[in-house]
Every structure is written in structure tokens, then in C-alpha cells.
Amino acid sequence: MEKHVYFFEEGNKEMKNLLGNKGAQLAEMSRIGIPVPPGFVITTKTCVEYFKKKGLDDEVVKEIKNAIKKLEEKTGKRFGDAENPLLVSVRSGAPISMPGMMDTILNLGLTDEVVEGLAKINEWFAYDTYRRFIQMFGNIVMGIPDKKFEDIIEEIKKEEEVKLDQEISVNGIKKIVEKFKEIVEVPPPEKQLFMAVEAVFNSWNNERAINYRRINNLPEDIGTGVVIQTMVFGNLGNDSCTGIVFTRNPANGEKMLYGEFLINAQGEDIVAGKRTPMPIEKLKEYMLDVYEELERTAKRIEEHYKDVQDIEFTVERKKLYILQTRTAKRSARAAVKIAVDMVNEGIISREEAIMRVDASSLDQLLHKQVDENAELRVIATGLPASPGAAVGKVIFDPDEAAVRGENENIILVREETSPDDIHGVAKSKGILTLKGGMTSHAAVVSRGMGIPCVAGCEELKIDEKNEVLIAGDIKIHKDEYITIDGTTGKVIIGKAPLIEAKFSDELKTLLKWADEIRGMKVMANADTPQDARKAIEFGAEGIGLGRTEHMFLKPDRLPLVRKMILADSREERMDALEKLEEMQKQDFIELFEIMDGKHVTIRLLDPPLHEFLPNYEELFEKKCRGEMSADEEKIFERVKKLRENNPMLGHRGIRLAVTYPEIYEMQAVAIIKAAIEVKKRGKNPVPCIEFPMVSEINELKTVKEKIEKRIKEILEEEKVDINYTMGAMIELPRACFIADEIAREVEFISFGTNDLTQATFGYSRDDAEGKFLRYYVDKKILLTDPFQVLDRKGVGELMKIAIKKAKKANERVDIAICGEHGGEENSIKYCHTIGVDITSCSPYRIPIARLAAAQATIDEQ
Amino acid sequence: MEKHVYFFEEGNKEMKNLLGNKGAQLAEMSRIGIPVPPGFVITTKTCVEYFKKKGLDDEVVKEIKNAIKKLEEKTGKRFGDAENPLLVSVRSGAPISMPGMMDTILNLGLTDEVVEGLAKINEWFAYDTYRRFIQMFGNIVMGIPDKKFEDIIEEIKKEEEVKLDQEISVNGIKKIVEKFKEIVEVPPPEKQLFMAVEAVFNSWNNERAINYRRINNLPEDIGTGVVIQTMVFGNLGNDSCTGIVFTRNPANGEKMLYGEFLINAQGEDIVAGKRTPMPIEKLKEYMLDVYEELERTAKRIEEHYKDVQDIEFTVERKKLYILQTRTAKRSARAAVKIAVDMVNEGIISREEAIMRVDASSLDQLLHKQVDENAELRVIATGLPASPGAAVGKVIFDPDEAAVRGENENIILVREETSPDDIHGVAKSKGILTLKGGMTSHAAVVSRGMGIPCVAGCEELKIDEKNEVLIAGDIKIHKDEYITIDGTTGKVIIGKAPLIEAKFSDELKTLLKWADEIRGMKVMANADTPQDARKAIEFGAEGIGLGRTEHMFLKPDRLPLVRKMILADSREERMDALEKLEEMQKQDFIELFEIMDGKHVTIRLLDPPLHEFLPNYEELFEKKCRGEMSADEEKIFERVKKLRENNPMLGHRGIRLAVTYPEIYEMQAVAIIKAAIEVKKRGKNPVPCIEFPMVSEINELKTVKEKIEKRIKEILEEEKVDINYTMGAMIELPRACFIADEIAREVEFISFGTNDLTQATFGYSRDDAEGKFLRYYVDKKILLTDPFQVLDRKGVGELMKIAIKKAKKANERVDIAICGEHGGEENSIKYCHTIGVDITSCSPYRIPIARLAAAQATIDEQ
């Protein structure tokens, strides 16, 4: 028969999937002798069954009852016993930690009788605990709004004229309890337990948990475990405390005990951020022995797990208990430093170090920083909760931030954030909270998302009604700009100048290791010398996509491009083309020089011609107003003629070259002449000429043949040999099916997954996002935006077909990807598995790609 | 060693691929004792090698020389012998006949000496033949423009004041020969022969032959054979003649000797249409014996070949020679009648009959006819060369017809057509020629293309300079309308009223046989009761695609549809939807009643909403002019908001239903309520509800669930059971890859191959045709327009993937196709092979689909 309940000592850390992460860690700690309050776990499978059967199975109920009995025996305490009561915590614990997303009930087991018994030891503590329990139980299990409880507390505090909860008198607390009991009828302990277990199960499917899983791409169907553990109390007086420590600094990775604690408090006081805790070093001043024991224990736990731990502890009358440990979330910066340090300390291997860092998180290391040399009007300093600097408009409402954050730079400013704000946090450029510490919700979540965050900035105030942020005399209204620096904790009025991020030595080391391991090449999407230099700096092995249309849009080119398009005669067109050729040549010369010896892939003109002409509607308006000159009239007619109903599917890419061969010929000539010039200067240009939008092999053959002929002529004339290659983009479903024919014609093919996604889904990239795609992702019609994370079911299958055909036809053909997906971790890993040789992405994403590619190789092994 | 030359008696009719069709038929006839002038064939393979080696191989030259020697022995005649000269014809003959497309040289072997010898028998004949030879040789082999020769003939005719070539005096002919020899140096006979053979080979790659193969989808790489045959002369006097007979009437299929002949003429006089020949019955009056022999011989040939034959004959001094026979081209009407007759005569099987009719040609049987009851101004009557009536603007220039025929109804009017006019013919609605008979170029080509044609309408004149067609006193200018009736030969001024085609009994019979054989079901694309009735008449087994958006565009609906789209409040929207529901219900009631017991597939709203709103640009213009009211301003803003950059890839189909569920719900409710009402009237409605533009399974699940719930409610309320099904369109590549998931949710899937082609190629249907697609087909970048003929490499592969997945997931799921391709022969056959169960097409294409589906089944067997 299947077992639904495991005592801690029956499990170990490998049983995460069954016991949840929290449960498995408690089991593991028990196993290795860490002081853990005794308890047991209801398995995640029970949760899944609970949803299927829409209730708890009789068998499960029986097992839980037995476990309680055993726990009573073990602790010598009894549920509902006034003299020696068993109190337990009931916590969620999923296989993958989802901090703060699901529910927890503490002090379960309290009743009127029990509290009276407890009161004999410490009356204030007893009733305070009871009121906490009723509040939590009422709110979480019975769904009564927390405000109802808080209002009562505030009322009593007013009556007693005190500020803090701790200052309330025993009578005040008792009064609160009485009033709470008018709202909540407290059931007997066993009933409490089962109600709490169901509440925890149900919290798996609350909105914020679902949201969290969606954002973090976590599976939906694995369920949560429930950890039931004997309560210990950090709020028994000043010889008790509770706290959270990290075995290393989770913000910067420094090797030191890092964390915070609160004297005479329970754990949720820290997490909720209602009281600002003290740094952990301060514990030495209160209880040196305990501090040292904590330090030793923490070290032991890290050594055991071989990774940084996030440890929750409670000291009950000077006795240390470890309540939970888990692999610590950390900033990308810390992750990199810790990974590299641990290799140097001999704890983990290089491969392990590479796998320890979330590739996509590197993005935040490349975030800008505030230029400290500039004159800054710092109005406050809070906790540096998530590194990086951000400039944006002050917004107080997370809903508003969620909407406006799509298009504007927003700094979300909150008293404190809660899991309900997560949608607003996700779309903001930076987070500023007035309350809460480094482990508060805002801090944890924004670190996870790589969003700069300054937390616990208590100097500031919010005037909610008038939507003003107040710093002493300074008032910052909604929509005014501020800058926050999540690395230093500074809050700056206005738009501070930001400077580019620099690579840390640890990151350089890690990426060097990654480079040694990875199979895929990493190149850059770069159109300008600046991009190209940045690409080299970030470790690109060449240019995988150089878009010539961006060159066409430069102010000195555009008039010539228009002249070419509007030309009445071939002579006129050729004249414009000749001038453009010279300009393009200069573009390419620069790129070849910077990329000396590396591939420079140049995609010939891609968009439809009308994109280079004046805006149709502006012209049309002029015409309607009768303000159009004869010259403009001519342009207008041409623009009108070139307009398309669906330009994305229109006359563009190689189709343009089939009908107007001279444009590609000009570009190819410019490329080769540039290469010749660079070669004459003693450098080594490696041009790769790329044809976009191929859907039929004859397009490629026709255009390629003409261009090859021209190139041959030039090379013979100049008597130089240039080692050039040709390639085709695969960005249409049909191209995937003729990839064998294509591969026979070229040296490389490159997936343009933006367009391929567009065609495969039939989603217009220009329109879909605002019209329905955001809605789709919000409503989980789609789990991720396919323009951000490569779709495996459709686009991925097409790529597999194409790669198989291409490699079969020409095993030496290089396969690349150069869409947005080329810099996205998940997509890169998939591409590795299906046989893509090269990924190309924007320069800032190159470190991500280098690391993700290495991880893909290790995954494969 | 490979043999390049075959004497007729060495071959048979199975050797088409090697000897060409003409050669194989001559061989076959020789074999069965038909009087064929002796000769031999150079194989098609020799032609292919000729192109590869860019010349004739020595071995081939030797074989040809040997064959000539043998022919000399056989006939007792000799090349260049003045007394008894061997004259031969040199003709092209490809494995698949390409009438008039390649070159032929007659009377080869004539020289100054030979002609003098011949002149002893008949001086006029001798020199006339010589001048014909020089003209042909000069024109075809040496490339001298024919006009040079014709000018000389005209000059002499003027001098002698005669009208016809036959009226020129012997001296006149001799003068012509002298002048011709100033242009052409006549080589000795053997050199003539080799030059002619090379010319024929080269004519395989002349532009019109390439064009013809492209239009008829014939392979490029099979080459032509060359038939070298002893000349016989139909121009030896009034006891000689030449002609062409069909064993049955190729226009209407009647069983009778049908054809025409010219006394004292050579074959090309008929084909060229320069002299209007006499009907074959007239031959009785000239030479009864010969007529009877011809009749017997023709019958024997038909019996041998078991198909209607197109026989070229010559009578040389009362001796009948058969020069060639081939399977006769025939009108669709004739093809159907002949096929059915031959089954009834016991000559062929039903399957053979089905295979004998080109399915796509049935289209022409459904062409409109002139309403004979109307008052018609008939201005002339010509030969009824290709059946069907057409109304259009008179255009004289085939180039102009080719261009304007894209968008306008054109009647191409020509003295006579030549193979060079083929592009203009193809794009015209009808053809009218003043010269030439039923077997003239215009007649043959237009019958083949199913274009109505009136030929040889000698009463009419063309004033080329002023572009006027003259019928007595009546002048019809270019661009004025005429009507031609290719079934009766009438030419009518203005736009005559046309009536719909009716099925012949033979066609009904043939289609009945087809229905018994075919595996695929045939349904109709029909949105209106008229369409539905037509569909039933043409044999549809249901409606495979009913587009509800067409219903939305009706004038009484559009204001409501707009109200729905522009609604400010839910109430307002629901009000409009309720009214629309009632209207849609009425639409469906009619369809269900007409289709009683048959499937009625209703596709829920597909296009983006802005298609139902006023034109943006008109509104914009109004706005620019400052003429916009406040109400219009509101509409304008909404239209602007709804506009999309790429509406084809935009917010449409099921995507609309995900975001605005009430529209589909309204439609589904209307469908079910209509079905209930029809069922209550005692009929049997079979509604199939179809969701367009699915690309992700969650779209389908979400929308389907809501609709199913509503339907269940209604059915429970009404206590009626409706046998409805649900299906999804597959019109996006991604849908193909999730076809398994889709198939688990639905009872049927239907390929929307128009959209699927669009997405697979990345071609905008709205734009591609004019911008580049026509160019692509013209330049053979693409062999066919993929919107017309289903692309097998891309779209077809996607369909295969989808069908495999769908059937594996749900073997009972029905697979349909409902794009334009559903009525296209080639595409239907492909669909059959990949497992499509149902094809749906416009009502007029249903007969084609029925026949093509049967052919597909037979092909498979």
C-alpha cells in the first residue's frame, strides 16, 4: 500500500519530488543530526490525488492521525493537552521552492483550554500566540480578510496608546483574542489540522502561485507536500529569537554568515517585513554561544549540501533549532562568485559551477550602474536588495505598473510588496520598498527576476491619496523620474547618468570555463562598429547576423535609397546604387577590420522597399489637405503602389532580388570590394553572404548565380582571393522542407526564428502582442510567448526537419540560429539538442549564450 | 551499342518514349498494315544527347546516313536524283504531342537539278514545291523571317494581278524561286537533312515549346524524336488532296468521320489556316472510292487504338496515304460523350472511360451559354471551334490581352492565331479568328484550354491600324463589348445574356460511374441557399465549408455587426448579438433544409473585425478634410485601433473567440437553434461547427468548452437531440504539428490550404500575385502558382505530418480539404494519396472533384 506520510527520519534529500524540497531538507538534516524540531511530511502525491478526488482520502486521514499519535509519543506532548500541549506548524513545501507563494499556519493546536495552560508559563506569550494563531487560521484557512484582524489590533493599540504589537498589555491581548473569537470559531486541534492541511493543498492553486509557476516556467501538476512540525518559539522573551541566515552573502557572494534576526519574534515577522530585523552579527551581542553554534551548524549544512544554504532558525530560550534549509536564491553576481569560489575551494567541479548559474540571470550583471562620478541628488538610502541601477517614472499601483511597464520605464514604489503585486514587479524597471529587509518579498522576487531593487527604505513616506513619494521636504509626484541603485541602496531624484556594466573577474573565469566546454559557437547580431566592438568584448566568435537594412536607414543613405526605389530609369537607379555601394563598402570595411579573422555574416536587404519610403499616411494626409507638390505626388503614387496589405508576407528578402537583381548585386559587390581592401591592409576578412526569405530553391539559385558571377569577375580583376561563403536564412516553413535543396547550394543556413515563429503560428509580430498574445500568456492559453521562448511543438519540429534534411544533403553545412531566441537560455539549450552549430544574439546576451551553450553540452553528457 | 535510328517497321506504339508519339504511331500503323509512306525515326534519346553534347554524335550521323541508304533502296528513289528523286519530310515528334509547337520541314531533298527532273512531270507543281521547300528551309532551318519570302510572293501576285497562290503562273513561280535563291543558298540533299534534323532538335527549346510545356505541365528533359518520311504529294493536281480527319467529332463527340481537306494542297495549308478547307464529306463528290477507303482505314485505326484518332492523310493521285495518327484532342463535351459511348459500344471499361476525361476540362461544360431566347444582334457566324459562350471587350493584340486579361474580360480577335499568341489566348475569355478551320491553331489550343472559340469567321474584317472589327456596316472598336458563342459559332454585338450550363446525360452517367468508384467524399463550399442548391444539383454530398463572414456582410447585417464591434458596453454588444443571432439562425435554417440529411459545415467567424468596419482611408480622408462628425470620429478611432499591419496574421479566427467569446457563442447558438427548428419540421439537420485559425490546442479547448456548455443548455431546455459535430481548420503550420492534440478534441479537421499555403511560403495572397508571384511563374522560379495547384514539397508535407498525427490520435477523425485546391484536379489526386477523406470546393467545381476523386482511386489501384 502506498505511504502518504513520512516522518523526517524516514526521508532524505533525494526525496524532493515526493516530500517537497522543504520536507526533504528537514529529513536530510534530521538524518545528519542537525537540531530540527520533530515532525512529518504529507507527500506531494497526496496533494495531486487530493485535487483528483476533490478531497482527502480516508486512508490518508488515517495515516495522518497515526502520525500525530506518534509525534505525541515522540515529544511527550499531546494535542489539546493544557499542561503539555503539542503545537505544530503546517507548511507547504513543493519540490521546487516557491517562496511566499503558498500558505503556512503556525501554532496549530491552540484552543481556549490549551492557551490557559500555556498562560501559566508566560501569559503574554500564550495569548499573543493564540491571537496570532486565530488570525492566521482565520485568514488562511477560513478566508477572512486580514484587515478585519488588523483593525481590531489597531483599535486596542489606540486604546492603550502604544505603537508596537509587543507593547500591548496582557489584557489588551486577551481583549484582542476575545474579539477575534467573535469572528473565528476555533475548532478542536485535530480538526484544525485537517482544515490546515486542505488549505495548504488548496494554496497550490491560488492565483499568485499559478502566476509564479508561469513566470518561472514550473510544472503545474506536481503538487505541494505539507510539512507538519513541532512548534518552537522565538517569541518566549529576550532569550529567544528567530532569524534567517545565508551561508554566504546572497547579494554579492562573499563567504560570510549573512542574515538577520528578530529578538522575541516568530519567523513570519521577518518574512512579512513588518519589523526591520537586525543583521545576524548583532546576535553575538545578545547570545554569543548561540551565534557560534549557529555559525558551526550553518557551515556543516553548507558542507553537506555543497551549496549555499538559506537557513531558517529559531532560538527558544537559548536552544537553537533549525526550522528549514534550502539552496539559497542569490543574485546573479553572487551566483557567479559563489560558483567560482566553490571550485577554487575544491567543493565543486567546473561543470558543477557552470550548472549552478542561471544563464539568463547573467543579463542583470550587464545591467547599467549609476555613474558615481556624476552629481547625484540622493534622497534616501535603503537596503541594496537586488543589484543594478534603473531609471523610471514613479508608479505606486502595481496594476498600473503592469500595464504601463510594457512601454515605459517604471519604478514601482510600495510600502512593501506582497505576492499579489508580482505582475507589476515583473514589468517594472526597478522596485523601491519602504519596509522589509533583504529577505523580504520584494527583495527575493526582484533578485530572482534580475530587477534592481532597493528595499526597506524607511526614510521615505508615501502619500497614497495624492500619489506622492515624500523624502523630507522633497515631494516626488507620480510619473516623475527617480533612479534607484540596487547595488548600493541609493535612491536618487531624477534621471541619474548610468554607466555600462563591467565583467567581474569571476564572471570572466566562469565564461572561460564555459567556452572550454561548450559545443555551440556563439556569434553576435551586430550591424554597427559599436555593436561589433561590444560583441568582441563580450566574447563573440564573429558576427552571425549583420542586417544591411539598418545601414540603409542611416540619414545619409536614406535619400539615396529612396532615389533608387523611385528611379524612373535604369540609369537613375544605377547611379543611386553606385553611390550606395561605396557607402556600404565603408560599412563592411569597418566590420571586417574589427572582426579580423572572424566570420562576418551579412544579410542582404530584407524588408519590403516601402519601409524606406516616407510614411504613406503622412503623405495621404498632405494630399487630402491639398498641400502636396508635384514631386511629392510622384512619391505618393509610388509609395501607394509599393504598399502591401501584409508586408510581412510581401515583396521582401530574396523576392526583391529576383525581381530587382541589382540591389543584391550592389551589396555583394560592396562586401567583396570591402573584403579585398581589408585584405590588402593585411587583415583577414571572412565575409559570409546571406540571403533572407528563401522559400523556393530557384529563388536562391537564380540570385546566387548572378552574384557569384559578379564576385568572380571582381576577384579575377583584382587578382585577390577572398575566402567568402554563402548562406540562406530559413525563416519560412517551406524553407524547412527544402532545406536539403538549400544545403546543396550553400555553406551555411541560419534560422530566422522570429519570422519562422510568425509564419508557423500565423502571428503577426507587429500586431499579435497587443491584440491577443499578452492575453494568451496571461490566461495560459500559451505558457510562454513564442517570440521570446522558442516554441518546440511547431517551430522546433520544423527546425528538426530542416536540420535533418540539410545535414543529410550536405554534412558540412553550418547550422545557425539568429532570431531573438539565439540569446534565450531555454531556446539555446533546445537548439543544441537538435543540432544547431552556431547561435547568434545581441551583444549583451552573448554571456548568456556562452553559459547556456556550455550548460547544454553538460546536460547532454 | 545503342541504336539511334529505327525504321517504322522496327517499332510499335509502346515505344512512345523512345520514338516520340508520332514515330510510335507510324511504326504501329506500318506494323498493322495501314498505308504509311516509308520512313524512320531518330530517337528522343538522341535529342537529349544532342543537347548534352551540343551537337550530333559521329555515330548518330553514320546511322542516319545508313538509314537514308536503306530508304533509297526501299523506295527505289534516290537523294538528289533528277529522274527519281527521294523527297522526305522531317518532323518533330515528342513522347507527348505538342501540336504546332515544334518545327517541320517538308519536301527535303529538292535541289536545282532535282526540280528540273520533277518539272518534266508537272512543271508548276515542281517549282511550287521547290519554292515551298526553300521558304520553309530558309525560315525554319536558317532563321530567315518568313515575311521576306511572303513579300516576294505578294510582289509577283501583284505583278500577275492574281489573288491566290495557285493562280500564279509557272513563270511567276519560277521567278519566285529565283528570288528565293538570292536569299537562301540551297545545300545538297544530305546537308539539308542534317541541318533539318538539328533544327528540329533545337525547336524543342524554342520559346513557344517551352511555354507550352510549362502551361501543360510537361517535363522538360525528355526531348523530341525526329520522323523522316518519304514525301507524298497532295498538290499534284485535282486528283490529289490532303486533309485531317477525326474518327469522331472532336467538338461534340458524335460518332462520324469528321474533318476537312484541301484539294491540290499540302498539309501545312490546312494547319496554318490560310485557306479554308472543305468538310470531309465533300471528298465523296471528288473521289468516292478514296473517301470510302479513308472511312474504312479510319475505323480500323480507331478500333486498333481503342480511342478517337486524329489522322493526317494525303491522297497522291488517288492513292491514300496515312501520314500520322494520334489520339485526338477533343472538347470536354466530346470527351465525355466519347468515353460513355465507347463503354456502351463495349470498347472500353467504365474505369477507362473515367480515365479518358481530363477532370479539369469539365469546367468548360459548366460554362455559360448564350440565352437563345434573348434578342441577339448576331453580326456573323463562324465555326463553333470551342464550346461555351463568352462576353468581353474586343482586343486585337495578344500581348495586350495577356496583360489586361488578368483583370478584365477580354475577347481576343485575330485574323488567325499562331503559337506565338498563346499567352494572350490563355488570358482571354474567348477567341475569335477570321481564318482557319476547326483544326486550326486557335481552335485546337482554345479547346484544350476550355476557352470558347469561334474560328474562321470570314465575314468579318479587321482594320488593324484603327483597331476596328468590321461586320459589313457595323464597326466595333477596340474595348467595345461582343459576345461569342463557341457552341454555335455566333458572334454577337454587345453583352448577350448568358444562361447557366446544363449537364448532358453522358456527363451524368460518367459522374455516376465516378461516384461508384471514388473513395473521397465531395462537398461544396457554399454560404447561400443558391450556392447550396447548385451544390446539390452538381452532386455535392454536403457543405464542407460555409463561411459565416459572408453572411455578416449582407446589407441588413452589416450595421448590426458594426454596432457589435463598436459597442461601448456589454449590454449594447449583447443587444446587437441577439439580433444577429436571429438572422444567422434564419441563414442556417435555409441551409439545413436544403441539405436535409447531409453535413452542413459552418465555419465560425474568420476575418479580423476591422474588415466589417468602414474603410479606414475613406474615414481618414474625411478627417483630413475636417468633414468628420463626432460619431464618425468615434468610429474612426475604433477602426484605427482595430487596424493591423498584417491582418492576415492578425486577430482573427478563433483568436477573436478567445478574446471575445460572445461572437462564437452567438453563432453556435444560432446554429443549434436553427437545427432544432429544422428538426421540428421533420427534417434531418447535420450541423458541423468549425473553428478557424487554430494554432494552439488551448485555444480550441477554451472556446469549445464554452460553446459545448451553451449547446448542452439549449438542448436540455428544448429537450431535442441534435447530432452535431465539431471540427477545426488546419491552416497554419503549427496546427499541423499539433494535429494529434486537435484530433482528440474534434470529430473532423479541415485543411484550409489557401491560408496554409500563405503561411508556408510566407506569401501574402493579397499582395504576392501582382508583386512577384506572376513573375515567378512566368520565369519558372515556380512551376505553378501554389495558390492554384497544391504545393507538394511544403504544404503537402505539412498535410502529411498532420494527417499522420491526427489519424494516430483519433482514427475516426474525418480529414477534409476546403481551400481553392479542393476543386483542382492535381491537388485532389494528391490529397487522395495522402489520406484526405473529403474534398470541398465551389459548386461549379464539384463535377471536376467527383471525377478527379474517382481517377485518384483508379490510379491507386
Side-chain angles (χ1 to χ4, degrees), chain B residues 329-380:
Chain B
K329 298 226 167 211
R330 61 206 87 172
S331 72
R333 190 175 150 206
V336 171
K337 182 170 164 48
I338 291 165
V340 173
D341 284 352
M342 284 191 160
V343 172
N344 293 335
E345 291 165 25
I347 300 174
I348 59 175
S349 69
R350 286 181 178 187
E351 283 78 7
E352 280 172 301
I354 284 166
M355 297 309 281
R356 283 279 168 88
V357 178
D358 174 10
S360 59
S361 77
L362 294 190
D363 212 18
Q364 62 189 273
L365 294 189
L366 310 166
H367 272 164
K368 291 160 181 171
Q369 303 290 326
V370 171
D371 180 358
E372 294 289 336
N373 296 321
E375 207 168 280
L376 302 173
R377 279 185 68 195
V378 178
I379 52 170

Side-chain angles (χ1 to χ4, degrees), chain B residues 318-435:
Chain B
K318 297 207 171 171
K319 165 135 184 57
L320 174 69
Y321 288 101
I322 303 298
L323 301 187
Q324 75 169 38
T325 188
R326 55 188 175 194
T327 302
K329 298 226 167 211
R330 61 206 87 172
S331 72
R333 190 175 150 206
V336 171
K337 182 170 164 48
I338 291 165
V340 173
D341 284 352
M342 284 191 160
V343 172
N344 293 335
E345 291 165 25
I347 300 174
I348 59 175
S349 69
R350 286 181 178 187
E351 283 78 7
E352 280 172 301
I354 284 166
M355 297 309 281
R356 283 279 168 88
V357 178
D358 174 10
S360 59
S361 77
L362 294 190
D363 212 18
Q364 62 189 273
L365 294 189
L366 310 166
H367 272 164
K368 291 160 181 171
Q369 303 290 326
V370 171
D371 180 358
E372 294 289 336
N373 296 321
E375 207 168 280
L376 302 173
R377 279 185 68 195
V378 178
I379 52 170
T381 302
L383 300 171
S386 178
V391 176
K393 292 177 186 168
V394 167
I395 294 295
F396 298 99
D397 176 6
D399 293 333
E400 189 174 353
V403 174
R404 292 185 47 194
E406 287 291 335
N407 303 308
E408 295 172 69
N409 294 329
I410 298 301
I411 306 288
L412 179 64
V413 180
R414 299 285 283 164
E415 284 282 341
E416 55 190 308
T417 69
S418 80
D420 295 328
D421 301 342
I422 205 160
H423 60 302
V425 172
K427 295 291 181 192
S428 298
K429 287 284 172 294
I431 310 298
L432 170 60
T433 66
L434 310 198
K435 288 186 181 169

